[in-house]
Amino acid sequence: MNLQEATQLIESIRVNLAKVIVGKEEGVNLLLTALLANGHVLLEDVPGTGKTLLAKTLARSLDCTFKRIQFTPDLLPSDLSGINYYNQKTGEFQFRPGPVFASILLADEINRATPRTQSSLLECMEERQITIDGVTHELEAPFLVIATQNPVDSQGTFPLPEAQLDRFLMRIRTGYPTFEQGVHILQRFRQNNPLEQTTAVATAWQIQEIQQLTAAVNVSDDLLAYMIRIVEATRTAPGVKLGASPRAGFALLRASQGYALIQGRNYVIPDDIKAVAVPVLAHRLVLQRGPGSREGQAVELVLQKLREVEVPAEPLPATSGGRVE
C-alpha cells in the first residue's frame, strides 16, 4: 500500500465517522492516529458526550471483531480473559474466550472495576497476548482498546494507577458540542440512529498495512531531539513528581507519525508533534499535589513546555513518489 492509497482509505473511514458523529473533528483525528500508531485510547469526558458512540462508530467502520464490556465493581479478570470449563458432554476441559479476544475492545467506564480487574488488561494492552492457566493466547491483529471513563463522578470508582494510564497511547477529551452542533445532533438522530446504517469501509488486513506504513513515516534526527527535549522538560518542571518516561517519548514518536499520515504526509513536521503532545503526555504526569490535580494542570504544563522548547528549523524532506521509504 502506498501513501495515496492509505490517504484515501483513511479519508473513507473519516467520512464514515462523520455520518454519525457531529463535530469532534480533532477527537476523530486523534482516535484515527492512535489506530494507525497501534496504540490504545482513553476517552475521558462527562456522561452523554458521545464517547461510546464514537467507539462504536469506529468499530462499525472496520471489518473487525468488536466487543463491548461494561466495567462494574463485581467484574472479575476471568470475565475479560475467558475461562477453562469442564464440558460434561465431551468429558474434557474447553476454553471459552472472553471479550478481549476481539480486534476492538470497548471498555466502558473502566474506572468502575477493581484494580485487580483493571490490571488484567495490562498484559493484553502491552504484549497483545494473554496467559490463562499457563497457556499463552495471541490476540487478534489489529488490537485496539478504547476505554471510557467519567472524570467527574468519583463515587464507586477506582482511579487508574499510573502503570495502567501509561499503557494508553492517548487520553482524548471531546467536550460539549457547540450550539449549532447540538441542533445538528438533534436533527440527525430525530428519526433514527445513523449508527445502524453504518457499514465497514476497511478490512483488518488493510489496517495492519497502514500501521506498517505509519511506522515507516520519516522523522528527522532534529525532530527526534525535539521530542526528547519536550519529554525531559516535563521531568524538571516545578511541581512535577513524576515526569514523562522513555515510553512516553516513544509514544510521542508513534503518535506524531500517525498524525502525519492522516494529514497525507509521509514525513513528520513540528506541528504534528505539537498536535499530539497534550493527549500523549498529560495523563502520564504525576504532580506533587496528588492525582486530583493531575488533569487540568498537567495539560497546561505540557502546553507551557511546548511554548518554551525551541522548535528546530529545517527544510521539509522530499516525498518519495507517494510511497513511504
Side-chain angles (χ1 to χ4, degrees):
M1 179 180 293
N2 58 36
L3 179 63
Q4 182 179 1
E5 293 170 342
T7 302
Q8 292 174 349
L9 189 61
I10 294 168
E11 184 60 27
S12 65
I13 298 174
R14 186 188 282 112
V15 170
N16 226 33
L17 291 170
K19 294 177 181 178
V20 180
I21 306 300
V22 178
K24 306 183 186 299
E25 287 83 3
E26 188 58 26
V28 167
N29 283 339
L30 292 175
L31 181 59
L32 291 177
T33 296
L35 175 65
L36 302 189
N38 200 19
H40 308 292
V41 172
L42 178 63
L43 293 179
E44 186 176 273
D45 223 319
V46 295
T49 52
K51 301 185 296 294
T52 302
L53 181 64
L54 178 58
K56 285 184 175 181
T57 306
L58 176 64
R60 284 285 190 95
S61 301
L62 308 179
D63 187 17
C64 302
T65 55
F66 169 70
K67 297 289 180 64
R68 174 187 180 273
I69 186 165
Q70 181 67 46
F71 277 61
T72 56
D74 60 347
L75 192 71
L76 299 176
S78 59
D79 294 328
L80 291 175
S81 60
I83 60 172
N84 286 308
Y85 72 99
Y86 183 73
N87 189 328
Q88 293 184 345
K89 292 183 178 179
T90 62
E92 297 177 348
F93 281 93
Q94 294 183 356
F95 176 64
R96 178 183 296 160
V100 296
F101 289 88
S103 287
I104 301 180
L105 172 65
L106 173 57
D108 233 347
E109 296 186 288
I110 188 174
N111 57 335
R112 291 200 175 277
T114 62
R116 180 187 178 191
T117 303
Q118 292 176 7
S119 64
S120 66
L121 278 177
L122 284 176
E123 183 184 10
C124 303
M125 297 171 65
E126 183 67 18
E127 305 294 338
R128 265 68 177 182
Q129 65 182 28
I130 188 168
T131 303
I132 304 170
D133 293 339
V135 179
T136 300
H137 303 266
E138 298 291 334
L139 299 178
E140 296 184 29
F143 178 64
L144 171 66
V145 174
I146 303 176
T148 69
Q149 70 173 4
N150 175 13
V152 178
D153 185 13
S154 60
Q155 186 174 4
T157 62
F158 302 86
L160 295 175
E162 282 68 31
Q164 183 86 0
L165 285 171
D166 198 42
R167 295 307 197 273
F168 289 99
L169 179 74
M170 291 185 183
R171 182 184 64 186
I172 302 175
R173 291 181 172 180
T174 55
Y176 286 116
T178 64
F179 174 80
E180 292 77 10
Q181 291 172 349
V183 174
H184 194 181
I185 290 173
L186 296 183
Q187 292 173 340
R188 180 170 295 184
F189 287 81
R190 178 170 49 191
Q191 295 182 344
N192 51 56
N193 187 347
L195 178 63
E196 298 175 356
Q197 283 76 47
T198 303
T199 57
V201 295
T203 65
W205 178 250
Q206 289 175 315
I207 296 301
Q208 292 180 67
E209 283 191 314
I210 296 182
Q211 288 177 341
Q212 294 175 3
L213 204 65
T214 301
V217 168
N218 182 62
V219 187
S220 68
D221 291 340
D222 287 342
L223 290 183
L224 292 176
Y226 176 56
M227 295 180 194
I228 296 302
R229 284 196 293 269
I230 295 173
V231 170
E232 290 185 340
T234 66
R235 303 171 187 167
T236 58
V240 175
K241 184 178 180 181
L242 290 176
S245 65
R247 192 206 304 268
F250 182 74
L252 186 58
L253 167 63
R254 281 287 180 257
S256 300
Q257 291 175 303
Y259 198 84
L261 193 61
I262 68 171
Q263 303 300 321
R265 283 182 277 101
N266 61 358
Y267 55 89
V268 171
I269 62 175
D271 285 346
D272 299 325
I273 302 172
K274 294 179 180 179
V276 300
V278 169
V280 168
L281 298 179
H283 67 284
R284 290 178 159 90
L285 305 183
V286 179
L287 306 185
Q288 291 180 353
R289 295 183 182 180
S293 61
R294 177 191 292 126
E295 318 301 341
Q297 294 183 23
V299 169
E300 181 54 38
L301 189 147
V302 175
L303 292 173
Q304 178 185 348
K305 296 309 172 184
L306 289 176
R307 293 189 293 265
E308 294 176 355
V309 176
E310 182 180 359
V311 180
E314 61 173 352
L316 297 181
T319 58
S320 42
R323 184 178 294 274
V324 179
E325 297 293 335

